[in-house]
Structure formats: structure tokens, C-alpha cells
Amino acid sequence: MGPPTPKCPNSPSAATILAGTEDVLIEILLYLPIKTLIRFKTVSKSWFSLISSSHFSHLHALRHRPTTAVSGLCLRKSPSQLYLLPLFTRRPKIQTFKFNLTPPDAYNRTPTAPAAGAATATATTYRTRILQSCNGLLLLQVSYNARNAPKDYHIYNPTTRRSRILQLTYIFHSNIVSQSQSQQLGLYLAYDPSKSVDYKVICVSFTAYSVYTYQVFVYDSKFQSWKVANGGKEFVVPYDVKFCDGVYWNGKIHWIRPKGESYYFDIDKDCVVQSIQIPLVERWRGDRVSDTYYFGNSNGHLHFVTMYLRQASESELRVFEMQDDCSNWLLRYRMDFVDILCYFPEVRRREIDFRDGDTVDYAFCVLGMVREENGEGFLVFHVPGKVVAYKFKDKSFVELADLRALHFSRKGLLKFGCHDAYEFIESLAPV
């Protein structure tokens, strides 16, 4: 056997050859899960550009079954203080969550000029508020410190940390509506990765001449343009419909009334429809429905969670689920409050009088109803100093986070409300 052949010092490495053959590299990377791909973005600039591209995201979505399973919750302490809580780790640890938004002047748009005498808004002088989480994408509202400065809206992928600004100025004809912050009742993100890589944004506004009639507008990311929805027709609903709590589910944006029927906008049929009554059960003497409730979508299931308060021995929490055809609410889960009080006595604050009986004031808040891939569900709730999961299958409690060590913790107080939790779903979806 002869001596080994010496290597040429200038010969390309296998990694260099592979990186230079983009089609082969794409085919290999398409087999990898999202977490691995995010790490591989740091290999080189070319890998970062390839994995971040819309083309690769689309191919990856086609190769892998799109998932809408939640992997964590983003908790809002304040518009500028956000925390990420993983849900499926052995030792979940709450961590600071920050956005990486492209500065406004980096977009191909003409920014609205601030009011006279106002400071110029910069990328470092803004506060970001999450309006909605939808299957891996977030709808954000950005407020600037400059006085009377306009708000911007972004579509943001927290996994890839990519964002796109959503144009709200000059999108409507002046003879239809004069678009302004005061006229917007709600913005909603509609994204279903099982159907398309494109998303839509639905805007509900007052009409130009009345605060009692409404109009719907739809933005399509495929065409990057807005259109008037509902056939251009205005619609009327009761004054107490909660447009601020709209939820995307099953191709529709759903709204509820606190003690009445629900409504939805069907995106495909392009119309507003009155739905069924929200879940209200027979009332015992002295009962009241708590103002604390949860209305949201998790992994393809629309839930309505409410708590019926009486004496501690009879209070309970109920989880309802909407049927796919929107014809009925089904009672899916129930939880006796006695179980919570046994494990977390600090939840019970004091007895108060209500009507002819006594009821209890609870330091308790529902943060989310999570459905797993196998269909099982668990409730995430907040008690003083802790975030806890309750698994309905075996009626067990799992502590997800101990908040007492955090700087904002105060004994006996809740720091997150029912509208301060948003699902975090891993996704390569382009924006």
C-alpha cells in the first residue's frame, strides 16, 4: 500500500461544496424540524438568507404537516414587559420575551409626520402591544413616545423574528370611510397554515357617518392590498358586542356578548352572521357568573370558559367547546373549586354578600385553555405568586412557574389578567 495522497490545501471542504449546491442543501434542510433550522441560521449568511426566505418556508410547510399546537405562553406584565413561559418542558422557566422589529423607516412607505413640536419617533422609542396570536404569527401594535405620533401595526413571527408593517393609511377610499385610530373597533389576524402560507387581517370600523353601524375590511397578504368586505354592506349588532375580544377559528372571526348571542364574520363567504347564545346554565339562588372568563382558540378548538360563584363548596369552573358547524356549545370540562382551594388556599380572599346568600372573592384568573395534539386539554391559570396547569384527564395540578422570585411579585396579588396571555407556536411562516 502506497503512502496516503496528500490533501490540497486549497481544496474545498464538503460543507463548502454542499453550501454551493443550493438545491441539494434545500432538500436536506427540508427534513429538519423548526428548532434545528433556527439554530442552523447562525451557520453563515447564506444559510440565514435561505432558511429565512418565503420560498423555503413554503416548501417546509408543504413537506411537514402544519401544526397549530402551542409550545408556550407569552405573558404580558405591561405593554413593554413580556415573558415567555414554555409549557412542555420538565422544568419550565419563565424568561423575558423581546421583539426584534424592523425600524419603521426601513419600509418602503412614507411615514405619517408627527404633530408640530413632537419628537421624532425612532426605533428605540416605542412600546409594543400584542393584539392577537394566531397559529404562529402575532399581530402587534406599536406606540411611539412622540406626542400624538401615529401607531403602527406589524405582523410578526416570534420564531423567525421577522416582521412586516401593516399599512392602515391610504388603504380605503375617502368616500367609504376616513380611517383613523378612533374608528377602529378591532383588528384580527386570520392565518391557517393547513390551508395556505398567506394570511388575512380583518378590520372592523365605525362607518363614516354613524357609531351604530359597522363595516368590515379585509387585507390579503398574497396581494398586499385591502378590500371592502361583506359586499360593501354595513351591519348593525348590539352595542355590547366585544369587538376587542375577537377570535379566529374555523375560517371565521368570532365575537361574543357577555350575556347574549355571539356573532362571526365568515371570511370565505364574506358575510357577518348571528350565531347562537353563549353558554349560560340554570342559576341557583344566590349565584352569579364571574366577570373573569376566557374566550379563545387552541389547536383547532374554540373554547368559552366561565366560573359560577356561590359558596366555595359549590363554585365551579366550566369549559365549553363550539361545534364545528357553530350550531351549539358543548360542555367539555368542569372543575370544582374545592380542589383548587385545597391545593392553593391563598386563592380564597374573603366572604362577601351577594343577594340572599354569601359568595367568595377569589384571587384566581384563567390564562388559557390548551388542547394538545392527542385531544386532551388542560387549563392554565394564575394564583398569587404562581402559574399552574390543571389537567382534566387525571385531575392533577402542575406548577408551571413560581413568580415570587420576580421583581414585580407582590404577596396576594395577581399580575396577569385573562387578556394578558397569548399562545406561542413555533412556525417558519413568512410574513
Side-chain angles (χ1 to χ4, degrees):
M1 181 179 296
T5 303
K7 294 183 179 181
C8 177
N10 296 323
S11 62
S13 65
T16 303
I17 296 175
L18 183 60
T21 312
E22 187 172 286
D23 291 341
V24 177
L25 177 60
I26 290 177
E27 190 62 29
I28 294 174
L29 294 178
L30 286 176
Y31 284 95
L32 301 179
I34 292 177
K35 285 185 177 180
T36 303
L37 290 172
I38 296 302
R39 292 199 299 267
F40 279 8
K41 290 172 71 172
T42 62
V43 170
S44 66
K45 290 183 178 179
S46 61
W47 282 41
F48 178 88
S49 177
L50 189 153
I51 297 172
S52 300
S53 67
S54 300
H55 175 66
F56 181 83
S57 300
H58 179 58
L59 292 177
H60 192 271
L62 294 176
R63 180 68 61 88
H64 299 262
R65 184 177 71 87
T67 178
T68 55
V70 59
S71 59
L73 289 180
C74 185
L75 304 177
R76 177 180 62 192
K77 169 63 174 59
S78 69
S80 57
Q81 285 185 290
L82 298 166
Y83 299 89
L84 180 63
L85 176 62
L87 293 179
F88 298 98
T89 58
R90 289 186 177 182
R91 295 180 179 179
K93 184 178 180 181
I94 192 169
Q95 51 193 282
T96 302
F97 183 85
K98 294 183 178 180
F99 295 107
N100 181 30
L101 296 177
T102 305
D105 54 2
Y107 293 96
N108 294 323
R109 68 180 180 94
T110 302
T112 305
T120 303
T122 66
T124 59
T125 59
Y126 61 79
R127 296 193 306 169
T128 304
R129 176 189 174 194
I130 300 176
L131 297 182
Q132 189 183 5
S133 172
C134 186
N135 296 327
L137 297 180
L138 299 178
L139 176 59
L140 307 179
Q141 181 190 74
V142 180
S143 303
Y144 300 95
N145 291 344
R147 184 180 179 184
N148 297 326
K151 294 181 175 63
D152 278 329
Y153 296 88
H154 294 249
I155 306 299
Y156 183 74
N157 186 326
T159 305
T160 63
R161 306 185 76 181
R162 306 278 288 187
S163 66
R164 176 181 292 275
I165 200 164
L166 181 66
Q167 293 279 11
L168 284 181
T169 309
Y170 313 120
I171 59 175
F172 308 130
H173 299 293
S174 58
N175 61 333
I176 296 176
V177 63
S178 176
Q179 185 65 5
S180 67
Q181 298 291 335
S182 60
Q183 288 180 306
Q184 294 172 21
L185 291 172
L187 281 174
Y188 320 100
L189 180 60
Y191 171 59
D192 187 347
S194 66
K195 296 181 179 180
S196 173
V197 295
D198 300 309
Y199 56 85
K200 295 182 179 180
V201 178
I202 287 79
C203 174
V204 175
S205 295
F206 294 121
T207 57
Y209 55 84
S210 175
V211 295
Y212 299 104
T213 58
Y214 313 99
Q215 205 157 24
V216 179
F217 304 88
V218 178
Y219 172 86
D220 193 326
S221 67
K222 182 177 182 179
F223 304 103
Q224 297 187 25
S225 62
W226 289 85
K227 72 172 185 177
V228 184
N230 201 31
K233 299 178 181 178
E234 300 148 3
F235 66 98
V236 179
V237 295
Y239 73 94
D240 58 346
V241 170
K242 289 188 171 294
F243 285 113
C244 59
D245 295 336
V247 175
Y248 173 70
W249 174 74
N250 206 15
K252 305 171 182 67
I253 302 295
H254 295 259
W255 306 291
I256 60 173
R257 296 178 64 198
K259 298 177 183 178
E261 67 277 4
S262 57
Y263 293 81
Y264 63 80
F265 171 68
D266 191 311
I267 298 174
D268 293 332
K269 295 182 179 180
D270 196 31
C271 63
V272 177
V273 178
Q274 179 177 327
S275 187
I276 61 174
Q277 196 85 2
I278 66 170
L280 292 176
V281 299
E282 303 82 8
R283 299 215 179 174
W284 303 312
R285 186 181 182 185
D287 282 359
R288 67 185 176 94
V289 179
S290 171
D291 293 333
T292 301
Y293 68 90
Y294 169 82
F295 179 57
N297 165 28
S298 179
N299 204 14
H301 303 269
L302 183 64
H303 301 111
F304 180 87
V305 183
T306 190
M307 191 160 56
Y308 294 84
L309 302 179
R310 201 187 186 191
Q311 287 82 5
S313 60
E314 297 176 354
S315 296
E316 67 177 12
L317 185 142
R318 298 186 180 186
V319 179
F320 296 87
E321 181 179 345
M322 177 72 86
Q323 287 186 316
D324 289 343
D325 60 359
C326 299
S327 63
N328 193 22
W329 286 98
L330 302 177
L331 179 58
R332 180 62 65 186
Y333 305 105
R334 62 200 306 168
M335 179 176 65
D336 291 333
F337 231 71
V338 173
D339 297 335
I340 293 180
L341 294 175
C342 289
Y343 284 89
F344 309 101
E346 64 272 21
V347 168
R348 187 188 185 105
R349 282 176 172 164
R350 68 187 188 278
E351 297 282 349
I352 57 177
D353 294 329
F354 183 80
R355 295 182 182 177
D356 298 329
D358 293 330
T359 186
V360 181
D361 180 23
Y362 295 121
F364 170 87
C365 184
V366 175
L367 296 179
M369 177 65 204
V370 178
R371 296 295 286 270
E372 301 179 67
E373 292 283 7
N374 60 8
E376 296 296 333
F378 62 90
L379 192 76
V380 180
F381 61 91
H382 180 25
V383 298
K386 299 177 182 178
V387 177
V388 182
Y390 177 80
K391 297 186 177 181
F392 289 99
K393 183 177 182 179
D394 56 9
K395 297 183 179 181
S396 63
F397 292 94
V398 178
E399 183 177 314
L400 299 177
D402 187 345
L403 307 178
R404 292 171 293 183
L406 299 179
H407 66 89
F408 59 77
S409 180
R410 297 293 183 273
K411 185 177 180 180
L413 298 180
L414 300 180
K415 291 300 179 181
F416 303 111
C418 59
H419 297 100
D420 293 329
Y422 303 88
E423 289 190 341
F424 178 87
I425 298 173
E426 292 179 340
S427 171
L428 288 178
V431 296

